[in-house]
Amino acid sequence: MDWGTELWDQFEVLERHTQWGLDLLDRYVKFVKERTEVEQAYAKQLRSLVKKYLPKRPAKDDPESKFSQQQSFVQILQEVNDFAGQRELVAENLSVRVCLELAKYSQEMKHERKMHFQEGRRAQQQLESGFKQLENSKRKFERDCREAEKAAQTAERLDQDINATKADVEKAKQQAHLRSHMAEESKNEYAAQLQRFNRDQAHFYFSQMPQIFDKLQDMDERRATHLGAGYGLLSEAELQVVPIIAKCLEGMKVAADAVDAKNDSQVLIELHKSGFARPGDVEFEDFSQPMNRVPSDSSLGTPSDGRPELRGPGRSRAKRWPFSKKNKTVVTEDFSHLPPEQQRKRLQQQLEERSRELQKEVDQREALKKMKDVYEKTPQMGDPASLEPRITETLNNIERLKLEVQKYEAWLAEAESRVLSNRGDSLGRHTRPPDPPASAPPDSSNSNNSRSQDNKESSEEPLSEEGQDAPIYTEFDEDFEEEPASPIGHCVAIYHFEGSSEGTISMAEGEDLSLMEEDKGDGWTRVRRKQGGEGYVPTSYLRVTLN
């Protein structure tokens, strides 16, 4: 079925329908254009959102980047950014393949439709013109027939009138004959015009207009097919990015699964572990009688010169960590302003960086030497003397970096020893006996000499104001007085201890002991039993009271 056969008389209907089809095509193009604007705005907002929440500092300078939670969040932001890129790709495909192509096709369809309807209107005008000519010839034939009949009647009346002259009768007969001849010619012209019009009308309705309508039908069907393909491009543009978007979503899921709470807890420990020993019990200070205490590394409020510090109601001991108010930190090159564990890590990082720089300079020196040898063997390639300044600079850099490596190695060794010495952490009271210190007890035979030497060295260095205000957990290089002959305090064994290693002594739970030497930071305290015998026991196994 075609329009030329079934809709031969629906010229206006076809005109409205084809115009509606082109309007629909334009509406769809406008819809897709606004859709691309929405996609572009969506992608832009997503990118702005990602930029807003991305870390501002580089990962190597941001401690938070070490946590799996932060890493997963950054990965999700990157996946969202990739997702925004796919939305931009959808907008680009729709703009190029739908908006531009369909808009161009719509213009072509409008031009083609205009040509077809112009042709149809010309055919209609020609048919209408033929019909007007037919009507004119018909009316002329009709008029001539009436005039011929009237002239014949006049001639016959005059012929019967006895009063009419012969000349009048002849004249009337000639007029009637002329009118009859004119009517015959009008009849022939009308018949010819009618035949011509019928032929044109048949051609118009059975050939000319059906062809035009068929062309319009073909045009409209091509437009509908193209529009349907444009509908498909809308979904095709989405389907093209579905695999990438699926990967983005899968990446978000992987990032969510990568959050490791236990590992983050360990990372927090590694980042902020100070390495300090925990503070011991607060000692009872009896203000009812003058204080007489021997200075030691665990004594608080005792000046370095050994004189007791009297504390009245107006003076109180400085608050201990974590309640102490931190002083302003002065950054030092050896990171001594940091806690021991953090100092060790920073020194390790600096040492690794200097080692890499040193290796780079060494490799550069070797490359310059090889280049110099090539220049010496082949002078036309270059002047060997031109490399001397660079070689000298490289050698100076190597010497400088070697000194820095040695300096950081020394600081690192000192920091590691400090960390190890602080691991004898006093845990106070326990429901079960704590583990004895991992390090061996000091050699009692050399203890006096070593303490005297330490006292001599430390007494030569004045205490800084910062050192006096340091909290109890800070490691001190305090001075030690010569060990007195009498005990410096007494202590009670909280747990039973079997002294099986060299330098240790056994004690029973609840046993009273004499305190001969305080813990020097290694976790061991030297005591004397009442029944005789002197040696080291774990500090965490004692409740100490100084004289």
Side-chain angles (χ1 to χ4, degrees), residues 47 85 111 130 231 276 290-291 302 306 320 345 349 380 385 516:
R47 289 193 183 278
H111 179 68
Y231 292 163
F276 290 130
M291 296 181 63
T302 304
R320 303 189 303 166
K345 292 179 181 178
Q349 294 175 358
Q380 60 269 23
M516 306 305 297

Side-chain angles (χ1 to χ4, degrees), residues 52-103:
K52 177 181 178 181
Y53 284 94
L54 275 175
K56 301 298 184 291
R57 293 186 293 176
K60 63 178 182 179
D61 299 333
D62 189 4
E64 296 176 353
S65 65
K66 299 182 182 297
F67 294 98
S68 64
Q69 307 163 55
Q70 178 71 1
Q71 294 170 0
S72 296
F73 182 54
V74 171
Q75 184 178 350
I76 288 176
L77 291 176
Q78 292 172 349
E79 297 295 348
V80 171
N81 193 59
D82 293 343
F83 177 81
Q86 297 307 305
R87 303 319 307 173
E88 291 175 342
L89 182 60
V90 169
E92 181 180 357
N93 289 338
L94 291 178
S95 177
V96 174
R97 301 185 60 188
V98 178
C99 294
L100 293 180
E101 293 185 6
L102 285 185

Side-chain angles (χ1 to χ4, degrees), residues 142-203:
E142 182 181 5
R143 184 175 61 252
D144 289 346
C145 287
R146 284 198 298 270
E147 291 293 334
E149 184 178 358
K150 183 178 179 181
Q153 290 176 358
T154 301
E156 184 179 358
R157 187 177 65 251
L158 289 174
D159 187 37
Q160 294 177 0
D161 188 1
I162 58 176
N163 297 322
T165 65
K166 183 177 181 180
D168 292 335
V169 173
E170 288 295 330
K171 184 178 179 181
K173 288 182 179 181
Q174 290 178 357
Q175 186 69 23
H177 179 73
L178 179 62
R179 292 294 181 183
S180 176
H181 179 70
M182 291 176 61
E184 189 65 26
E185 288 182 353
S186 297
K187 177 180 179 182
N188 293 334
E189 183 182 354
Y190 170 63
Q193 189 66 35
L194 180 61
Q195 185 178 4
R196 188 183 307 115
F197 174 77
N198 287 333
R199 183 180 66 249
D200 292 342
Q201 181 176 255
H203 176 69

Side-chain angles (χ1 to χ4, degrees), residues 333-393:
E333 186 181 4
D334 61 352
F335 303 105
S336 58
H337 61 285
L338 297 175
E341 188 69 25
Q342 301 304 316
Q343 180 189 16
R344 182 185 66 80
K345 292 179 181 178
R346 294 296 299 272
L347 289 172
Q348 183 68 36
Q349 294 175 358
Q350 293 295 324
L351 180 59
E352 291 175 357
E353 291 179 4
R354 298 300 188 280
S355 299
R356 286 194 295 269
E357 293 178 7
L358 178 59
Q359 185 61 41
K360 182 179 179 180
E361 293 292 337
V362 170
D363 295 340
Q364 186 174 358
R365 182 191 63 182
E366 295 298 326
L368 290 172
K369 283 184 177 181
K370 292 180 180 180
M371 188 180 298
K372 182 180 179 182
D373 292 341
V374 172
Y375 285 177
E376 290 175 349
K377 295 177 181 179
T378 314
Q380 60 269 23
M381 295 187 65
D383 183 12
S386 63
L387 299 176
E388 288 298 334
R390 296 176 61 187
I391 294 176
T392 303
E393 181 184 359

